[in-house]
Amino acid sequence: MSPVPLILLIGILLLNFDQSSALSVGSRSLFREVSSNRAGDVDYAVELNATNFDAVLRDTPAMFSVVEFFAHWCPACRNYKPHYEKVARLFNGPDAVHPGIIVMTRVDCALKINNKLCDRFSVSHYPMLFWGHPSKFVGAGWEPKQEKSEIHVIDDGRTAERLLNWINKQIGSSYGLDDEKFENEHLATNISEPEQIARAVYDVEEATTTAFDIIIEHKMIKSETRASLIKFLQLLVAHHPSRRCRKGSAEVLVNFDDIYPSEILSIDKPETAENNQKGSFGNIQICGKEVPRGYWMFCRGSKNDTRGFSCGLWVLLHSLSVRVDDGESQFAFTAICDFIHNFFICEECRQHFYDMCSSVSSPFKTSRDFVLWLWTAHNKVNSRLMKEEASLGTGDPKFPKIVWPPKQLCAPCYGSNVGRQDDPSRIDWDQDEVFKFLTRYYGMTLVSLYKSKDAPLGETTGRSLEDSSSPTSAVVVPVGAALAIALASCAFGALACYWRSQQKNRKYYHQLHSLKNI
């Protein structure tokens, strides 16, 4: 891989993000707003209008959607709202009992902005409820005499009980209005079909956003951690599996010097730095305004306090590892090790990971070596935790720690001498097969196969997820050499100077706007 000038790297970054995607101030997520006002009654149903209707239903990971058309002046609608909210409580928001299955939404037809939208669906009475896969509502409508429509009128949902019964019949479920138990409907165990990893693209976005929320909340950006955060952002820009997270990371990276000036870190008043960190940096939406959603898909445990963020972060790290080129492997290794060491707030876990990083005696020369090292490190963690959780009873009964991958997912990964299943060091691994499995599982499968919003539960499709990338580099030119040069020659200062000069140029944002249209 031939070196490329740093200025070319910056140019490529500018071409790969949307100015409005990451730094806009406002709601973190429509799906998170339902829990923002705990003082009074919580509205779980998501309020839609003509400006966000298509976008929300296109981007939701939910398999099904219910859309209620109503008018705020209608007495029957006001009386029906508590019934609708009882059902929405089960499916919407961060405290949903059954998240990721159905998104419950409402459209107020009494608002002029929604006149054409309500006309599209031939709303003839209030309230009027529709059912379908979310994508089928996008740019679509409904006619009373329309045959073979994929959008259906809910004709028996006048009470919460009747609406939920109607839904249960449609998807073969048995949800109840009093459901409170946190259960995972998506996976029976962590030994599952390989295609299940496709759902993790949503969790990788969730984990990325959660990680930066933790950094901001705990004021973890200091003079000694600033460079490691920049390195990790560079890695995300180049190789994050989600396009919107790549765009948001690029926005943060290019504007980092303005968002968090190095001068702030050197002053004597820490509260000034903290206020800045909670201010401009706190408004960052690194994976877009729809994230975080407040729940997990692939990484959801059978209990509230299991899996989730830790699972999503591991999937993120593996997905990054399989996307780097040989020349980037050492940079990716140091970026990940430094990020965990400086920003992972679980002290014991952080120290264990740091010890494993410190035990590496020579630089990685190939991406294969780095992928297999991270896989080995993860198995060491699982091996240690499975013993602790078994003795203390703190593990997830449905998702106990196991040596990865299990034989059910990758039989060729195991040699003739299987060894002890709780000790990865005593298994006769075929590392060539393991590498192929990891590359496929966390690369192509993660972004190209998923539970289609257009198909019934249980069916899969090969359609690419709109906001995902191919398993190769997200940047159109090799960035490994440039990143290695940046690391070796202390080019972070040069990058910062470049960004600073760009920020001072008043024409910058006009140029950026024009770049978006290229």
Side-chain angles (χ1 to χ4, degrees):
M1 182 183 302
S2 60
V4 294
L6 289 176
I7 192 169
L8 176 58
L9 172 61
I10 299 299
I12 296 301
L13 290 178
L14 293 176
L15 286 170
N16 276 275
F17 70 81
D18 184 333
Q19 180 181 345
S20 63
S21 65
L23 295 177
S24 58
V25 179
S27 170
R28 295 288 282 176
S29 169
L30 282 170
F31 297 99
R32 213 180 190 191
E33 284 181 347
V34 296
S35 62
S36 61
N37 181 16
R38 293 295 184 187
D41 293 335
V42 176
D43 284 349
Y44 292 95
V46 179
E47 296 281 348
L48 299 181
N49 57 50
T51 63
N52 63 15
F53 184 86
D54 286 351
V56 170
L57 292 174
R58 179 179 59 245
D59 293 338
T60 176
M63 300 295 297
F64 303 98
S65 56
V66 177
V67 181
E68 177 200 5
F69 290 95
F70 73 102
H72 62 260
W73 50 258
C74 166
C77 298
R78 291 197 294 267
N79 292 335
Y80 181 65
K81 183 178 179 181
H83 291 275
Y84 194 70
E85 289 293 333
K86 283 182 181 179
V87 180
R89 177 193 71 86
L90 300 174
F91 305 107
N92 284 14
D95 299 324
V97 185
H98 309 289
I101 304 298
I102 303 168
V103 57
M104 308 279 293
T105 66
R106 308 176 81 228
V107 176
D108 187 354
C109 291
L111 301 179
K112 289 185 178 180
I113 191 176
N114 295 327
N115 285 351
K116 291 183 179 180
L117 176 60
C118 296
D119 287 344
R120 270 170 47 188
F121 288 88
S122 305
V123 177
S124 58
H125 58 273
Y126 303 130
M128 191 172 184
L129 277 63
F130 292 88
W131 166 271
H133 298 290
S135 63
K136 299 304 179 183
F137 286 90
V138 177
W142 179 85
E143 295 291 341
K145 298 180 180 180
Q146 184 177 351
E147 295 183 1
K148 298 181 180 180
S149 174
E150 295 180 276
I151 298 174
H152 305 283
V153 174
I154 300 177
D155 54 7
D156 189 20
R158 299 301 297 175
T159 66
E161 291 80 6
R162 289 163 65 177
L163 175 58
L164 189 56
N165 287 339
W166 193 96
I167 290 173
N168 282 332
K169 290 178 181 178
Q170 297 301 307
I171 61 177
S173 56
S174 56
Y175 302 131
L177 291 175
D178 296 329
D179 287 357
E180 293 291 347
K181 187 178 178 181
F182 190 92
E183 293 181 346
N184 189 319
E185 295 91 358
H186 303 312
L187 300 175
T189 68
N190 46 355
I191 302 176
S192 59
E193 293 298 321
E195 289 78 11
Q196 291 284 2
I197 188 64
R199 299 184 74 90
V201 71
Y202 301 109
D203 292 350
V204 169
E205 293 176 335
E206 196 80 7
T208 304
T209 303
T210 301
F212 278 84
D213 281 349
I214 292 172
I215 291 171
I216 296 165
E217 180 66 27
H218 292 273
K219 310 174 185 69
M220 301 173 76
I221 304 174
K222 301 177 173 62
S223 57
E224 63 271 21
T225 63
R226 190 174 185 271
S228 65
L229 183 58
I230 291 175
K231 284 197 298 182
F232 193 69
L233 282 166
Q234 289 174 326
L235 187 61
L236 297 185
V237 170
H239 298 298
H240 199 291
S242 165
R243 185 178 62 182
R244 56 184 146 202
C245 294
R246 294 197 304 273
K247 289 181 178 181
S249 299
E251 178 87 11
V252 175
L253 186 59
V254 172
N255 292 281
F256 196 91
D257 199 53
D258 273 0
I259 297 171
Y260 204 84
S262 57
E263 293 81 2
I264 293 287
L265 299 171
S266 60
I267 62 179
D268 295 330
K269 295 181 179 180
E271 65 272 12
T272 303
E274 291 175 3
N275 291 336
N276 187 80
Q277 198 163 151
K278 296 281 281 185
S280 59
F281 214 170
N283 292 324
I284 291 170
Q285 299 171 327
I286 198 160
C287 290
K289 63 182 180 179
E290 291 83 15
V291 185
R293 301 174 186 89
Y295 57 83
W296 304 93
M297 303 283 284
F298 173 82
C299 285
R300 190 177 191 210
S302 63
K303 299 192 297 184
N304 247 333
D305 56 353
T306 60
R307 304 189 83 208
F309 175 58
S310 60
C311 166
L313 187 59
W314 271 116
V315 176
L316 171 61
L317 299 185
H318 285 297
S319 69
L320 292 172
S321 74
V322 301
R323 286 169 168 77
V324 301
D325 296 325
D326 289 344
E328 302 169 295
S329 56
Q330 182 62 24
F331 176 87
F333 166 72
T334 57
I336 287 174
C337 286
D338 289 349
F339 181 80
I340 296 298
H341 180 60
N342 289 311
F343 299 109
F344 195 67
I345 204 165
C346 173
E347 176 61 24
E348 183 177 355
C349 304
R350 183 192 66 81
Q351 189 59 48
H352 275 290
F353 198 87
Y354 180 72
D355 290 343
M356 290 188 293
C357 290
S358 300
S359 67
V360 176
S361 57
S362 58
F364 291 102
K365 296 182 179 180
T366 67
S367 59
R368 177 184 183 277
D369 291 340
F370 174 49
V371 168
L372 291 177
W373 174 84
L374 186 63
W375 160 71
T376 300
H378 196 171
N379 268 337
K380 287 180 179 178
V381 171
N382 278 358
S383 181
R384 175 175 58 85
L385 291 180
M386 72 173 69
K387 297 171 184 176
E388 294 179 5
E389 292 178 354
S391 63
L392 298 173
T394 55
D396 190 318
K398 273 193 173 183
F399 300 89
K401 297 292 187 297
I402 61 173
V403 173
W404 190 261
K407 198 168 185 179
Q408 292 90 329
L409 280 182
C410 184
C413 293
Y414 290 76
S416 56
N417 182 19
V418 175
R420 290 177 52 183
Q421 288 298 292
D422 61 345
D423 187 354
S425 66
R426 300 182 65 177
I427 295 176
D428 180 22
W429 295 105
D430 185 330
Q431 294 199 349
D432 288 335
E433 291 295 334
V434 171
F435 176 64
K436 287 192 291 186
F437 169 80
L438 295 172
T439 302
R440 181 176 63 252
Y441 191 77
Y442 292 107
M444 182 66 72
T445 307
L446 177 64
V447 300
S448 65
L449 291 176
Y450 71 106
K451 299 292 181 181
S452 172
K453 288 183 279 188
D454 300 327
L457 282 170
E459 292 186 10
T460 60
T461 179
R463 192 180 65 186
S464 296
L465 187 63
E466 185 177 38
D467 283 315
S468 299
S469 70
S470 66
T472 56
S473 173
V475 182
V476 296
V477 298
V479 300
L483 295 178
I485 292 171
L487 180 63
S489 61
C490 299
F492 294 126
L495 287 172
C497 291
Y498 180 85
W499 298 331
R500 188 181 298 113
S501 65
Q502 288 297 94
Q503 300 308 310
K504 290 179 180 178
N505 184 347
R506 293 186 177 182
K507 296 181 180 180
Y508 169 79
Y509 287 107
H510 297 293
Q511 295 169 350
L512 181 61
H513 180 73
S514 64
L515 281 172
K516 289 169 56 181
N517 299 319
I518 293 177

